[in-house]
Amino acid sequence: MKIGKKFTSIHPLTWGVIVICLLLLAACSVSYKFNGASIDYSKVHTIQIADFPIRSTYVWGPMGPMFNNQLKDVFANHTRLQQVKRNGDLKIEGEITQYQQRNKSVSSEGYSAQTELSITVNVRFTNNTNHNEDFERQFTASASYETVRSLNSVQEELVTQMVKDLTDQIFNATVANW
């Protein structure tokens, strides 16, 4: 009985304000989605992403599948494009052309203090609905590590980081039009 009395003791004007607020919230739902893509879905429906073979002289085996899967995942997660094996409205292909390490800095004793690891990919992008947007371009990502650590101990972490950077660069260049 106390519960019913509590609700009936609320002023009618307060009930009116609550009802109006609820109606406004229900009627005025605005949805924003920012993923950077600027795709005209009335013209572009499909994307064809070829596997990028490794053409580098220095190779780390898992790098190829990591890159190929991440590139496909970026487009699957951030666009409504259907991925197809052939005849896509958009087409991305290329190869991993370089995977290298180099000394980045030298310690006061004259030894290497930091090593930089880098990956370069060559990308060919074809927009079959607007060939003015076609390009062939190279993208590079790099990461550094302390030379006191072995490459084997940091390689997976650094390659994962560089692959994410590369796939973001490719996504932005192809469908974000930045």
Side-chain angles (χ1 to χ4, degrees):
M1 186 132 207
K2 284 184 178 181
I3 295 173
K5 189 164 183 137
K6 238 182 202 179
F7 284 118
T8 56
S9 67
I10 296 177
H11 193 275
L13 184 61
T14 307
W15 275 112
V17 170
I18 291 172
V19 169
I20 289 172
C21 287
L22 288 174
L23 286 172
L24 284 173
L25 285 173
C28 298
S29 65
V30 177
S31 174
Y32 290 101
K33 183 177 180 185
F34 180 74
N35 60 21
S38 58
I39 300 169
D40 183 355
Y41 288 107
S42 66
K43 296 178 183 176
V44 179
H45 307 285
T46 59
I47 186 166
Q48 174 185 342
I49 303 174
D51 282 343
F52 282 49
I54 300 175
R55 302 271 190 254
S56 174
T57 53
Y58 181 66
V59 175
W60 182 58
M63 178 177 58
M66 284 173 70
F67 176 81
N68 291 317
N69 291 334
Q70 178 69 23
L71 185 61
K72 291 172 185 173
D73 287 350
V74 165
F75 282 88
N77 294 333
H78 297 292
T79 70
R80 296 186 317 219
L81 298 173
Q82 179 185 358
Q83 293 187 22
V84 296
K85 296 282 185 196
R86 61 181 150 267
N87 301 324
D89 296 326
L90 304 178
K91 182 178 180 182
I92 299 174
E93 58 187 347
E95 49 278 332
I96 300 170
T97 57
Q98 230 174 23
Y99 179 61
Q100 65 180 7
Q101 60 180 341
R102 67 177 183 85
N103 291 335
K104 185 175 181 182
S105 65
V106 178
S107 69
S108 59
E109 292 86 26
Y111 297 105
S112 174
Q114 274 198 325
T115 302
E116 182 179 73
L117 192 63
S118 66
I119 302 173
T120 301
V121 294
N122 186 57
V123 175
R124 289 177 297 283
F125 173 69
T126 306
N127 182 339
N128 289 314
T129 63
N130 180 6
H131 286 288
N132 291 332
E133 295 180 357
D134 295 358
F135 67 79
E136 182 168 359
R137 189 181 314 166
Q138 290 197 343
F139 297 89
T140 300
S142 60
S144 300
Y145 66 96
E146 300 297 319
T147 305
V148 294
R149 298 181 70 189
S150 71
L151 176 60
N152 285 340
S153 69
V154 297
Q155 190 163 229
E156 184 173 357
E157 175 188 345
L158 296 180
V159 168
T160 300
Q161 175 186 333
M162 290 184 293
V163 162
K164 173 150 182 22
D165 184 16
L166 285 167
T167 56
D168 287 347
Q169 289 179 49
I170 294 166
F171 180 85
N172 289 337
T174 54
V175 297
N177 295 325
W178 288 6

